[in-house]
Amino acid sequence: MPVAPPVAPVHPPARLLMGPGPISADPRVLRAMGAPLVGQYDPAMTGYMNETMALYREVFRTTNEQTLLVDGTSRAGIEAALVSLLEPGDRVLVPVFGRFGHLLVEIAERCGAEVHTLATDWGTVFAPEQVEDAVRAVRPKLVAVVHGDTATTMAQPLAHLGEICRRHDALLYVDATATLGGNAFATDDWGVDVASAGLQKCLGGPSGSAPITLSPRAVAVVDGRRHVEAGIREEADVAREAGTRIASNYLDLAQIMDYWGPRRLNHHTEATTMLYGARECARILVEEGVDAAVERHRLHGDAMLAGVTGLGLAVFGDVAHKMHNVVAVHIPDGVPGDAARAAMLTDFGIEIGTSFGPLHGRVWRIGTMGYNARRDAVLTTLAALEQVLRGYGVPLTGGGGVAAAREVYDGAAATAGAAA
């Protein structure tokens, strides 16, 4: 048999990930993920699990007991929420304002739900009264909405949606993957019943773990469908079984809650390394202060917005409802979008993104989130983008992007100095 050539160890190239996610992970998170493994029922491990739950209660701004991790990417958290809440025939309302609203529709349909949608143009969001009118007409069991859609960079206001859902006896699920940790998010104050996220954006970690929190209302729905596996169930578990069994075993939140709870009822082997990373993401955020982290994302997002405008680029969408952590700009006429992105990567080691669907090839998306929501990353990206645009003959003011961003930073420093 032929001898296979040797395979070198992994040695990724140096990259500054300034797209819509994933982003460059915080070095402290990567160091935490290099820690030795322990058994899943080792007291150290169960202690880390409890600490992780407490940390994410602070991150989500909730007192929900059931605040934990789903092992998998942010999509695993979304699917765990929907498959555990929805039974075939349940009515669901999904306000769609970008690519990821369509994802919620896709998953809800796979759950056998009767899915109704509310649509608006990409680059816009919904007013509360639009959502309430649709809720009144549909009478859903669940309203499922994306908080921040990175495909459009828009952030849907949520402050009134929980109250609307309660008035009409509906649950509210929110996909906070793109926003948690970098934009205001108040689970309890906003009446959010279930929210899930991922590490790879504002939380500053790698993809692979999905924090999730469930209100007591949502827990009651999930508990009403509890079925424990035959190999580990006890007589009391059989007596409690009710409702339609949750269609996914791996993403069954009833069983996952038992695994994270005092029973430690075996469900799967916890992804120890990812738990270390998720715990460190939350620890860093809580150490900084959630409000301070949101303000940091706002500052650097404002600087990037000013910078791309200073380069003469037109910003996509309703800027008043833009997320702090990502901006979309129209690709200038005559510039090949993918080739320019390749030049950013090849010449400068910087990654920016394109978009999906109707925006593919029309806009670039530039992120300032997590560990990369910092001054040097913003200014370096703007300086590199200027050089790439010059190479394609785009007329611009030399240094205009960096200068505009620095004005934002100088103004913030002056305001902070005056306040001190």
Side-chain angles (χ1 to χ4, degrees):
M1 295 181 60
V3 178
V7 178
V10 171
H11 185 63
R15 296 286 192 244
L16 178 60
L17 302 182
M18 297 295 287
I23 50 82
S24 308
D26 192 305
R28 291 171 290 182
V29 174
L30 297 179
R31 284 196 293 270
M33 294 177 71
L37 302 185
V38 294
Q40 62 177 326
Y41 297 116
D42 188 297
M45 183 63 176
T46 54
Y48 292 146
M49 293 171 76
N50 291 338
E51 290 169 357
T52 300
M53 296 173 80
L55 287 165
Y56 277 100
R57 290 186 190 107
E58 296 194 48
V59 173
F60 277 111
R61 295 292 175 87
T62 186
T63 59
N64 290 339
E65 178 184 358
Q66 299 300 344
T67 302
L68 41 85
L69 302 178
V70 174
D71 287 337
T73 65
S74 51
R75 188 172 299 211
I78 298 169
E79 191 152 343
L82 296 184
V83 76
S84 298
L85 292 170
L86 295 176
E87 299 183 52
D90 283 342
R91 288 181 186 165
V92 183
L93 174 67
V94 182
V96 178
F97 61 100
R99 182 242 166 133
F100 294 99
H102 290 294
L103 174 63
L104 300 187
V105 171
E106 158 88 10
I107 295 173
E109 288 176 341
R110 286 173 179 258
C111 295
E114 178 188 315
V115 183
H116 299 257
T117 60
L118 181 64
T120 189
D121 292 336
W122 285 29
T124 65
V125 296
F126 298 98
E129 54 269 22
Q130 292 177 282
V131 177
E132 182 155 27
D133 287 346
V135 170
R136 188 179 294 112
V138 172
R139 293 179 290 111
K141 173 183 179 179
L142 178 72
V143 175
V145 65
V146 175
H147 186 204
D149 195 300
T150 50
T152 67
T153 76
M154 296 296 104
Q156 170 62 44
L158 298 175
H160 300 291
L161 299 194
E163 180 186 354
I164 289 169
C165 287
R166 276 167 170 71
R167 276 203 299 270
H168 298 278
D169 196 27
L171 294 169
L172 176 60
Y173 164 72
V174 176
D175 170 15
T177 299
T179 52
L180 189 67
N183 302 261
F185 194 89
T187 300
D188 290 357
D189 288 349
W190 292 349
V192 176
D193 289 296
V194 182
S196 66
L199 306 184
Q200 73 275 16
K201 298 184 188 285
C202 298
L203 294 178
S207 179
S209 186
I212 190 169
T213 187
L214 295 88
S215 74
R217 294 176 74 215
V219 169
V221 172
V222 175
D223 272 342
R225 302 180 64 193
R226 182 182 297 276
H227 288 76
V228 178
E229 294 173 21
I232 56 175
R233 72 164 65 112
E234 300 172 358
E235 287 186 15
D237 294 316
V238 176
R240 289 180 62 196
E241 288 183 352
T244 305
R245 185 167 61 174
I246 293 169
S248 172
N249 176 286
Y250 184 67
L251 300 175
D252 181 336
L253 284 177
Q255 295 194 81
I256 293 172
M257 289 189 298
D258 272 343
Y259 181 57
W260 281 77
R263 288 185 73 185
R264 301 293 174 191
L265 192 61
N266 183 259
H267 176 252
H268 66 289
T269 301
E270 179 58 28
T272 308
T273 298
M274 284 308 309
L275 181 138
Y276 293 165
R279 177 183 177 278
E280 186 67 358
C281 286
R283 190 197 67 79
I284 291 168
L285 187 61
V286 170
E287 181 180 73
E288 179 181 5
V290 176
D291 289 340
V294 170
E295 174 59 22
R296 172 169 57 85
H297 281 80
R298 185 205 61 77
L299 171 63
H300 297 296
D302 284 353
M304 183 63 80
L305 175 62
V308 295
T309 303
L311 288 172
L313 300 175
V315 176
F316 170 79
D318 178 5
V319 174
H321 289 106
K322 187 185 78 63
M323 287 185 284
H324 291 161
N325 48 298
V326 61
V327 62
V329 296
H330 291 277
I331 300 170
D333 291 341
V335 176
D338 288 343
R341 290 176 56 238
M344 288 283 288
L345 194 66
T346 301
D347 295 343
F348 299 98
I350 298 174
E351 178 180 283
I352 62 174
T354 182
S355 193
F356 306 101
L359 295 181
H360 180 74
R362 290 180 49 204
V363 302
W364 291 318
R365 295 177 299 155
I366 305 172
T368 48
M369 62 185 93
Y371 182 66
N372 291 345
R374 61 182 201 268
R375 179 177 176 134
D376 65 302
V378 170
L379 298 182
T380 299
T381 301
L382 289 168
L385 184 57
E386 176 182 336
Q387 295 308 310
V388 170
L389 292 173
R390 283 182 178 279
Y392 287 104
V394 177
L396 44 78
T397 301
V402 169
R406 291 184 67 177
E407 284 187 15
V408 172
Y409 289 130
D410 291 345
T415 301

